[in-house]
Amino acid sequence: MRISVIGCGYLGAVHAAAMASIGHEVVGVDIDERKIAELAAGRAPFFEPDLQQILEDGIGSGRLSFTTDIAAVRGAAVHFIGVGTPQQEGGYAADLTYVDAAVDALIPHLRPGDIVAGKSTVPVGTAARLADGIERAGATLVWNPEFLREGWAVQDTIDPDRLVAGVPAGASGEHAAEVLREVYHTAVAKKTPFIVTDYATAELVKVAANAFLATKISFINAMAEIAEVTGADVTQLADAIGHDVRIGRRFLGAGIGFGGGCLPKDIRAFSARAEELGRGESVSFLREVDAINMRRRDRAVELVVAALGGSVFGRRVAVLGAAFKPHSDDVRDSPALDVAVRLKGLGCDVVVTDPAAVPNAARIHPQLTYADDLDDALRGADAVIVVTEWDEYRRHLTPEHAASLVAGRIVVDGRNCLDAAAWRESGWSYHGMGRP
Ligand code: UGA
């Protein structure tokens, strides 16, 4: 099938390459010339496992191309919209400028019978608003939210847990759902659940899923706060409640909390949209979810300050991690980087390292000192804080090796990812989040 993908960021670039990898002929379009030049040359513009390979394969096969020329979408049967919906400047609502611009740019190139598939995360009601202009061009809009996780984006796109298609009522909607089934033929063949809904439900599925995940993380972080004043261990607590299959252990990782380009802005946009709909109170708990999450960053800083005797001024601290999570070079709303910035603000001599995210971190926070090499970051440090649970820190870094480099054996485990007993046995003063 001929497919176009408008917007070639984390979502669109992966989607374009993944669709080519399952046999479609795909053109990716973006207004960012630098990004398009990289993609067209077969180079992934960001770190995402497997993306480089499927990009190279797609371009090599002749089925995948990238351009800044929107007219190149002509002739495609399905047009995916994968542009960003960031948080508005000075507000909580989503900024729909890019979605609106993408649809406006696309409409003149649509042919009757085309399908436009919205993948961006949007406030409920957006698809119904956009559908009119698309229908006037004889095309049909389907809302097809994306659930990919950074770091697993290629796998999640090709082999998702479920597919959701929000369609208009009637024959055009049924046809659009059929076309999407053909697009995702490999997942459909594996009997992946394919849920056909109306627009509002499809839009809500996406924000509800992210709101649930954020709530789950903040729930366990709230338990960490209680554990901290009672001497309980939140990790054991999570293990114990996680054995209940109704609860489940995943996303019960207490620590410095969630960040990234999705969960924080999506729960805020959801609150803002619910307010507009006169149902703000229905999701007022999301404000608490956000507040708990932000408090964990304060707590991590407090732990470092306390461990260093009440002040970090002039003390050297190695910050292990900058990405908002491992297997990613994304530093958007990264709790890891925020902790580094807060420590620096207290006069701390911070050295930040990360296996993938140092260039991105340095771009937005040039005031911090960075080390590409873990040993360089550790050398002479008075304390170490782990803020992104990369395998490099969690598995490969031994307390003995770290001890041979640092000036002081103090470690704050902002992700509860280290073997506390092993670090203590090596003479370290170990401080976890919500752990005695
Ligand atoms: C999230 C969702 O998981 C995806 O399903 C969704 O498609 C995506 O947002 C999106 O809307 O595009 P992502 O932002 O890539 O994906 O990252 P997650 O794996 O969800 O992690 C989010 C944050 O939560 C990270 O900072 C991570 O460190 C933190 N986290 C996760 C915890 O603090 N504890 C946990 O137990 C799990």
Side-chain angles (χ1 to χ4, degrees):
M1 196 178 285
R2 288 182 71 184
I3 287 176
S4 80
V5 180
I6 299 158
C8 291
Y10 277 95
L11 163 58
V14 172
H15 195 68
M19 291 300 100
S21 82
I22 59 167
H24 299 301
E25 197 178 308
V26 185
V27 60
V29 185
D30 199 292
I31 51 173
D32 183 335
E33 285 179 11
R34 196 187 57 85
K35 202 182 283 170
I36 288 297
E38 288 288 293
L39 289 164
R43 285 191 296 268
F46 47 84
F47 177 93
E48 184 60 53
D50 304 332
L51 176 59
Q52 184 62 39
Q53 192 58 52
I54 60 168
L55 259 183
E56 281 171 27
D57 294 349
I59 288 168
S61 72
R63 284 198 309 275
L64 178 62
S65 61
F66 291 93
T67 177
T68 53
D69 180 11
I70 185 73
V73 306
R74 273 176 191 267
V78 182
H79 309 273
F80 285 98
I81 308 283
V83 293
T85 51
Q87 188 176 331
Q88 269 177 13
E89 292 277 338
Y92 267 14
D95 177 355
L96 294 178
T97 313
Y98 303 111
V99 172
D100 290 344
V103 171
D104 287 347
L106 172 63
I107 285 175
H109 303 287
L110 290 174
R111 296 170 314 171
D114 281 4
I115 305 293
V116 178
K119 292 203 86 62
S120 306
T121 301
V122 293
V124 57
T126 305
R129 175 171 68 75
L130 296 173
D132 283 353
I134 290 165
E135 280 168 15
R136 273 198 296 276
T140 303
L141 176 65
V142 34
W143 212 261
N144 173 223
E146 179 56 57
F147 304 100
L148 67 80
R149 298 159 298 167
E150 287 182 24
W152 307 91
V154 172
Q155 186 192 312
D156 285 350
T157 304
I158 295 173
D159 194 7
D161 292 341
R162 78 298 211 184
L163 289 153
V164 175
V167 300
S172 66
E174 279 166 30
H175 172 68
E178 266 325 297
V179 173
L180 267 200
R181 280 197 175 88
E182 281 175 49
V183 170
Y184 297 114
H185 62 101
T186 48
V188 169
K190 282 186 168 175
K191 305 247 179 298
T192 303
F194 190 102
I195 300 156
V196 180
T197 68
D198 54 27
Y199 286 149
T201 306
E203 291 166 322
L204 272 175
V205 167
K206 169 68 194 195
V207 286
N210 276 0
F212 191 87
L213 294 171
T215 303
K216 201 169 175 191
I217 298 167
S218 277
F219 176 83
I220 201 64
N221 278 327
M223 296 306 108
E225 291 185 334
I226 304 296
E228 275 154 13
V229 293
T230 52
D233 184 329
V234 76
T235 307
Q236 287 186 316
L237 183 149
D239 290 343
I241 64 172
H243 283 302
D244 183 331
V245 290
R246 295 169 303 173
I247 296 173
R249 180 63 172 84
R250 293 176 74 186
F251 272 67
L252 286 181
I256 58 167
F258 60 80
C262 302
L263 299 193
K265 68 127 172 121
D266 286 353
I267 60 168
R268 291 172 193 156
F270 195 8
S271 296
R273 184 64 182 135
E275 291 283 351
E276 283 171 11
L277 294 166
R279 285 288 182 275
E281 65 190 15
S282 304
V283 293
S284 61
F285 66 91
L286 290 177
R287 272 187 240 137
E288 206 50 54
V289 165
D290 205 349
I292 293 165
N293 193 51
M294 299 308 284
R295 285 205 295 270
R296 299 317 284 163
R297 303 177 186 189
D298 300 335
R299 173 67 185 165
V301 172
E302 271 167 33
L303 280 175
V304 178
V305 172
L308 284 171
S311 170
V312 291
F313 194 85
R315 308 296 296 278
R316 191 174 178 87
V317 173
V319 177
L320 309 192
F324 82 106
K325 67 173 192 179
H327 313 291
S328 171
D329 65 356
D330 196 346
V331 295
R332 286 177 294 171
D333 205 343
S334 168
L337 207 45
D338 196 18
V339 166
V341 169
R342 288 170 192 229
L343 286 169
K344 173 83 181 175
L346 297 173
C348 181
D349 175 14
V350 167
V351 185
V352 179
T353 185
D354 189 285
V358 166
N360 283 344
R363 214 168 290 129
I364 58 167
H365 289 299
Q367 78 277 23
L368 299 175
T369 304
Y370 296 94
D372 285 323
D373 185 72
L374 173 57
D375 285 4
D376 288 343
L378 291 170
R379 203 164 284 121
D382 296 308
V384 178
I385 179 165
V386 179
V387 278
T388 312
E389 68 277 33
W390 286 97
D391 279 348
E392 279 81 346
Y393 315 141
R394 207 163 61 99
R395 289 181 199 271
H396 308 151
L397 177 64
T398 64
E400 296 78 20
H401 178 69
S404 72
L405 295 165
V406 297
R409 295 186 192 186
I410 294 170
V411 64
V412 174
D413 186 0
R415 292 294 187 179
N416 289 341
C417 63
L418 303 178
D419 179 346
W423 284 73
R424 285 193 174 119
E425 274 160 27
S426 287
W428 286 78
S429 160
Y430 170 94
H431 309 266
M433 304 282 294
R435 308 179 78 184

